[in-house]
Amino acid sequence: MIGEKRSLGETGIEVGRVGISSSFGASPDVFEEALAYGCNYFTWGTFIKGRSADFITFIKRIVASGRREDVVLSLLSYSHTVTLGDMFLKSALRQLGTDYIDCLILGYYSGRPPERILEWGNRLKEQGIIRAIGLTTHNRDVVVSLAEEQLLDFFHFRYNAVHRGAERDIFPFLPLSRPGLVSFTATCWGKLLKNKKLLPDMKPLSAGDCYRFVLERDEVDICMMGVRDLKMLNENMAVLKKGSMSYDELEEAIAIGDHLYQKRKLL
């Protein structure tokens, strides 16, 4: 799992199977260490204040050292208008000191993005400002319908031991020329890591095991990870080094997920 590279769907962009979110306040050294582990896919949004500075420093270091191609930079755009989208994209390029973004993520959309937004994304691709355009959503039906239309290159969607609906609604219906798939909330917002709602004979999963569970699905190209410091990163990576889960580990994770799903009545 660690160090494995694959193409993000049909984009030809080579990514490690663990991605890193920049929104947890990690230092530049943490991002550097994650990259050394093979985690080259990083997400960033210009709307995040305060916590962005260290990530900007990290990317500027990468660019200045001639390693820009080592990083797959994925920008979250929450602007649902072309004018604002252009403004924030230009701001991101300026702040990060780069002339292109690898992956532009449109978010969040519960339905099909407007035609003007799709045309904007394709125009940016033609201009070489972005390499791929994707979408983040909680609506699994949107993933399938847009994948069939081949309008987008990749999708961010929710998948974890509690929320396994993608196994029913997305994975079986992917076209042969499939989009890239990136999962988020592997720990179910931390619920899988806590004793509070579990039965007495259940032990919470570690964060690393939550990521291992997601990565058991070969359909998932990237599982997103959030880390705050080197200790957390190294602990997660030590667990991921175990590789694939055993049958018993998978059954245990599913049992915990089913219990939490019923307990909290999560959707």
Side-chain angles (χ1 to χ4, degrees), residues 208-225:
D209 282 329
C210 291
Y211 305 131
R212 287 172 73 211
F213 178 84
V214 172
L215 293 174
E216 286 294 322
R217 298 298 311 206
D218 190 58
E219 297 92 343
V220 176
D221 295 312
I222 304 170
C223 174
M224 293 304 301
M225 174 192 295

Side-chain angles (χ1 to χ4, degrees), residues 82-209:
V82 172
T83 301
L84 283 176
D86 274 334
M87 183 178 73
F88 285 118
L89 177 58
K90 290 176 182 176
S91 172
L93 293 170
R94 183 178 64 254
Q95 290 182 74
L96 297 170
T98 183
D99 58 3
Y100 72 97
I101 299 293
D102 296 283
C103 300
L104 178 68
I105 312 170
L106 307 176
Y108 274 91
Y109 280 91
S110 58
R112 192 180 192 275
E115 205 61 41
R116 66 180 184 278
I117 297 296
L118 295 173
E119 290 174 357
W120 172 62
N122 286 322
R123 185 168 66 251
L124 292 172
K125 284 177 65 175
E126 290 171 1
Q127 294 170 349
I129 299 173
I130 65 171
R131 299 174 64 193
I133 181 170
L135 178 142
T136 180
T137 184
H138 287 295
N139 185 346
R140 295 186 293 270
D141 291 338
V142 169
V143 175
V144 173
S145 62
L146 290 178
E148 290 174 347
E149 291 186 71
Q150 298 186 347
L151 292 173
L152 296 166
D153 299 304
F154 65 98
F155 295 90
H156 279 228
F157 65 102
R158 178 177 60 179
Y159 179 65
N160 54 57
V162 181
H163 301 107
R164 303 195 305 277
E167 297 175 5
R168 178 187 66 243
D169 301 329
I170 295 178
F171 299 154
F173 301 104
L174 294 173
L176 290 177
S177 180
R178 73 172 186 83
L181 294 181
V182 182
S183 73
F184 57 81
T185 65
T187 68
C188 192
W189 299 280
K191 294 178 178 69
L192 286 163
L193 314 180
K194 300 175 182 177
N195 282 303
K196 189 175 180 181
K197 298 295 182 180
L198 300 184
L199 296 173
D201 62 340
M202 289 179 171
K203 293 182 180 179
L205 299 178
S206 69
D209 282 329

Side-chain angles (χ1 to χ4, degrees), residues 225-245:
M225 174 192 295
V227 290
R228 292 188 296 273
D229 51 43
L230 281 174
K231 181 176 182 293
M232 181 181 289
L233 175 66
N234 289 330
E235 287 176 350
N236 290 345
M237 291 303 174
V239 177
L240 280 164
K241 283 180 180 178
K242 296 179 182 179
S244 297
M245 282 185 146

Side-chain angles (χ1 to χ4, degrees), residues 161 164 213 249-259:
R164 303 195 305 277
F213 178 84
E249 286 176 315
L250 279 171
E251 289 297 296
E252 181 180 8
I254 290 170
I256 292 171
D258 286 346
H259 173 73

